[in-house]
Structure formats: C-alpha cells, structure tokens
Amino acid sequence: MITKEQVEAFGAMETPFYFYDMDLLHRTLDTYKTQIDKYGYNAHYAMKANANDRILDAVRSYGLGADCVSGNEVKLAVKSGFDPQKIVYAGVGKSDKEIKAALRAGIFSFNCESVPEIRIISQLAAGMGRKARISIRVNPDIDAHTHKYISTGLKENKFGISPWAFQDVVDLLAQCPNITLLGLHFHVGSQITELPVFALLCRRIEELQQWFIAHNVPIANLNLGGGLGVNYQNPGGDPVAHFEDYFETIHKNLVVRPGQQVHFEPGRALVAQCGHLISRVLYVKVGREKKFAILDAGMNDLIRPALYQAWHDIENLSSTGRKMRYDVVGPVCESSDCWGQKRLLNTCRRGDLVAIHSAGAYGQVMAMRYNQRDLAKAVYSDDLK
Ligand code: LLP
C-alpha cells in the first residue's frame, strides 16, 4: 500500500519512476528467512528478477546467496558482496568467457543444462588447473500451469537435461577429473500459484534421484529452483507470498536423505510486491465507445503486459472521484503498449498519479529504451522518510 505521505512526496517527482517499498521488502525477506531456517534450507536469490543495488543489499543482508544466469550477473553478485560459495549459475548458453570468469570467482555450482556444456566446463577447468562444481539441471517434464513463455520444465522446453541422457552424463563425468558433481537442479517455471505443482515436482525429484542412487552416483544437493507466484490481482490485500504453505508442501513431499542439502532460487516472490511503477495521466481521450487513460509510462518501462499478457493492478493515487472504466495505455507506438482494458479507476484527469502495482520483479530489469525513451529511475521509500 502506498501511503498518503508517499503520494504527496511523488507530487514533486518526474514520472515515470519505480517506487520500492523497503518496509515491505524487509517484511517479505523476514518471513522467507524464518521459513527456510525452520527447515534448514538454503536460498539463492534469482537476481534476474531485480538487480538494483539497494535490493541486492537488502537480500544479501539476510544471508541469501545469488542465482545467476549470465557472466555479468555472476560479476555483479560478487561485486555486491554475495559469498561466491553461495552463487549458483544456470543458463543454456554459457559462453567460454563466462565460464572462465565464474571458475575464477570460485562459485558454488554451475547448473549445467546439456552434455556438451559439461564437456566444455571440464576442458576449461582443466586448462585453468581448477575444479568445477556442477549440478545437473534436470528437465523433469512437468506442467507448471503458468504462461507458456515462463514454463521451463516441459520436455519441449530448451532447459535442462532429460532423463534419457542421464547415462551419457554419468559416462562423461567418469572421464572428467576436473568436475565434482554436487547434485540435481530443477526449475519448472515462474508465477506458479498452484501448490500441487510443487508437490508433483517433489515426487518427480524422488523418482529421478533414485536413478542416480541406483547407479552409485551420490546426490548431496537438491536445488528446487524458484517459481512461487504472487497475487497480482490483490497486491494490497495479499502482499507477502505464501511462503509458509509453500515450504510446508515441500517439506511434506520431498524425500531428503541424511546429509542432503536442499536449495531454492526465489526471485519474483521476494521482490514483486515491493515495487510499483508510478506514472502520470497525460491525457484522457474520450471515444464513442470507450475512454482511454493515456499514461506517461509505457511497455518499455515494464514489458510484462505486452510480452505475456500479464495482468497488473492499476490504481489512480490522486483521485477520489467516482469509478469509471478506462482502457489504460502507454505512449509507445505499439498497440500492445496497453496496461489494461476496461479497468475500473477513480475518475482520471491530466496529471493524476497512477500506480501499476506488483512491478518489483521482472520490471526495471527488463526495461529498454525503445522509441529512445529514457529509462525510469528508482525511488526507495527509505529516502522519503
Ligand atoms: N531459477 C531459474 C533457473 C530461473 O530461470 C528463474 C526464473 C528463477 C530461478 C526464478 O524464478 P521466480 O522465483 O522468479 O519465478 N520475465 C518473466 C519471468 C521469467 C523467469 C525466468 N526464470 C516474467 O516477467 O514473468
């Protein structure tokens, strides 16, 4: 919830900008940390969700590690003070340069997505006289019941190694003295709100790890990835993701063997709700059939609605006028630059401040300069106090 005082402070600011409610971020991180400590789990923040320095600082202060998907993310994680021993690195297309830099940084685990990748990591590690710790990212062929662009665990997806290739991996590892196998990694998709998906994942993990045990390959670590969803429909009423139910589901369904460590890679669930994209109404265009509220924030600032038809709650922060239906759109020259159709908002006037909620994850990080637009800056609630 954005307070009256905060809205007043926004009055003097140039829009659009991202506003981060740091109290909510800390509340979310507190809840998360309590839950992982309860079960003795490890967490690596998926920094692709939001890599702003202040957000990274906050996350790191709770002792979390970092989940990276590029060499630059690994670099940034190290620079931001994340313990390299808590950095994991996934991605189907790691370049030689990226692999070498991660080897030099001494990261905890490369989460490997193909047999040829393992071969290259082994060669590069041998060339540098180092050992690489790897985990096998497994494609468990599970339907995450989420948008097809953010489903990653189905057999037709590009991610992970399918069970039919396990024997090839084991044969290869036998020839790679420079590689230590840490365990198995999974990530089946994002914005998953149905907990049975995670229960199914746990059962699938057990089936899959039995294959390795039967082949005398010890699995010391199980990494379940991220994916827990947030409430985009009612961010004000339900601001903290349901970590308690999530971890209870995992705890009940995952078979953990003595000495095994369990890892997670939360992204969205930690940072989505603390971020809001704040914009102003530029014009209200009244048509025969509908009214358009035209904002100064566009798809270049937050691409989720245009790219995934994602639904974000929109609120007129300035007006208390009676509610009307608007098609809320941005200024970019694309029809898909639309924030929402037939949205019920307090009567909009030029200059009203409008918040697009739940924008903390995959918002600012995915912003671009299309139409040569400026990048929206970040404002943190701490700085308004
Ligand atoms: N681990 C891996 C290997 C991942 O690929 C991802 C996200 C995560 C963890 C974190 O997932 P989360 O907890 O945030 O669901 N841009 C899209 C989401 C892409 C997710 C990519 N991978 C969106 O705006 O919905």
Side-chain angles (χ1 to χ4, degrees):
M1 285 291 279
I2 296 173
T3 65
K4 255 191 180 163
E5 293 72 32
Q6 287 166 342
V7 176
E8 252 164 51
F10 295 167
M13 296 178 191
E14 191 183 332
T15 48
F17 60 88
Y18 275 89
F19 175 66
Y20 293 100
D21 176 346
M22 299 306 274
D23 289 341
L24 178 57
L25 176 61
H26 282 284
R27 222 167 1 114
T28 308
L29 287 165
D30 260 340
T31 315
Y32 189 81
K33 179 77 171 136
T34 305
Q35 287 300 310
I36 54 170
D37 286 353
K38 176 170 162 192
Y39 298 107
Y41 295 154
N42 307 280
H44 312 266
Y45 168 60
M47 61 192 285
K48 66 177 81 61
N50 187 311
N52 289 12
D53 50 0
R54 299 273 287 268
I55 306 281
L56 293 181
D57 278 350
V59 171
R60 203 202 54 241
S61 73
Y62 286 80
L64 272 63
D67 162 41
C68 304
V69 285
S70 73
N72 284 347
E73 281 195 355
V74 173
K75 232 193 256 172
L76 180 59
V78 173
K79 191 173 142 222
S80 309
F82 284 91
D83 179 356
Q85 269 305 303
K86 291 184 183 173
I87 296 178
V88 294
Y89 175 19
V92 293
K94 303 178 185 80
S95 71
D96 294 19
K97 184 175 156 195
E98 290 177 311
I99 292 168
K100 281 191 207 157
L103 282 167
R104 272 194 297 273
I107 64 166
F108 174 64
S109 177
F110 289 86
N111 292 338
C112 295
E113 311 235 11
S114 66
V115 172
E117 178 194 327
I118 299 175
R119 199 172 291 125
I120 293 301
I121 292 177
S122 167
Q123 283 168 11
L124 294 172
M128 293 166 70
R130 296 202 180 226
K131 267 206 151 197
R133 286 174 295 272
I134 71 157
S135 304
I136 301 166
R137 175 165 181 182
V138 178
N139 185 324
D141 195 20
I142 282 181
D143 186 351
H145 296 284
T146 184
H147 192 279
K148 67 177 189 317
Y149 285 5
I150 50 177
S151 278
T152 47
L154 281 168
K155 63 172 183 280
E156 71 247 32
N157 295 132
K158 68 178 176 181
F159 299 99
I161 297 177
S162 291
W164 56 261
F166 286 173
Q167 189 60 54
D168 293 349
V169 173
V170 171
D171 292 346
L172 175 62
L173 289 177
Q175 307 157 25
C176 297
N178 288 77
I179 289 203
T180 307
L181 179 68
L182 295 178
L184 304 179
H185 171 238
F186 302 82
H187 173 76
V188 293
S190 201
Q191 185 51 19
I192 299 168
T193 50
E194 296 172 23
L195 291 178
V197 170
F198 294 108
L200 179 64
L201 172 64
C202 291
R203 290 194 292 277
R204 197 81 182 102
I205 289 175
E206 176 54 19
E207 273 170 48
L208 294 163
Q209 70 165 325
Q210 277 185 9
W211 186 95
F212 287 90
I213 291 162
H215 289 75
N216 287 320
V217 181
I219 298 297
N221 293 273
L222 295 173
N223 182 337
L224 279 70
L228 179 63
V230 300
N231 191 339
Y232 281 95
Q233 264 66 37
N234 183 18
D238 188 14
V240 179
H242 300 181
F243 299 125
E244 213 174 312
D245 300 343
Y246 171 72
F247 285 115
E248 198 180 294
T249 303
I250 304 285
H251 177 70
K252 275 195 185 143
N253 290 281
L254 185 68
V255 179
V256 182
R257 293 182 165 67
Q260 254 181 351
Q261 290 287 318
V262 180
H263 302 253
F264 294 89
E265 298 170 348
R268 184 190 320 264
L270 295 182
V271 296
Q273 301 293 30
C274 74
H276 311 264
L277 178 60
I278 308 295
S279 66
R280 279 194 175 85
V281 176
L282 287 174
Y283 304 101
V284 176
K285 183 157 102 171
V286 181
R288 286 244 163 89
E289 266 128 54
K290 50 170 95 169
K291 293 186 186 57
F292 290 98
I294 303 170
L295 307 186
D296 62 6
M299 62 189 278
N300 69 298
D301 299 304
L302 173 65
I303 202 172
R304 303 194 68 257
L307 191 56
Y308 317 113
Q309 299 86 45
W311 196 97
H312 284 255
D313 190 30
I314 306 171
E315 184 187 1
N316 185 336
L317 300 170
S318 303
S319 155
T320 50
R322 97 185 152 85
K323 295 217 185 267
M324 304 225 235
R325 296 240 173 236
Y326 296 92
D327 276 16
V328 185
V329 301
V332 172
C333 296
E334 297 275 348
S335 293
S336 58
D337 187 22
C338 176
W339 294 111
Q341 289 177 315
K342 296 191 189 139
R343 293 298 187 90
L344 210 49
L345 294 184
N346 294 337
T347 309
C348 289
R349 292 197 178 76
R350 177 173 167 81
D352 283 354
L353 286 159
V354 169
I356 297 158
H357 295 301
S358 315
Y362 308 108
Q364 212 176 347
V365 271
M366 292 178 79
M368 59 176 165
R369 291 211 47 218
Y370 184 41
N371 285 192
Q372 297 306 307
R373 286 170 49 81
D374 292 326
L375 289 176
K377 299 205 168 59
V379 172
Y380 299 90
S381 59
D382 291 353
D383 297 338
L384 301 183
K385 282 177 186 162

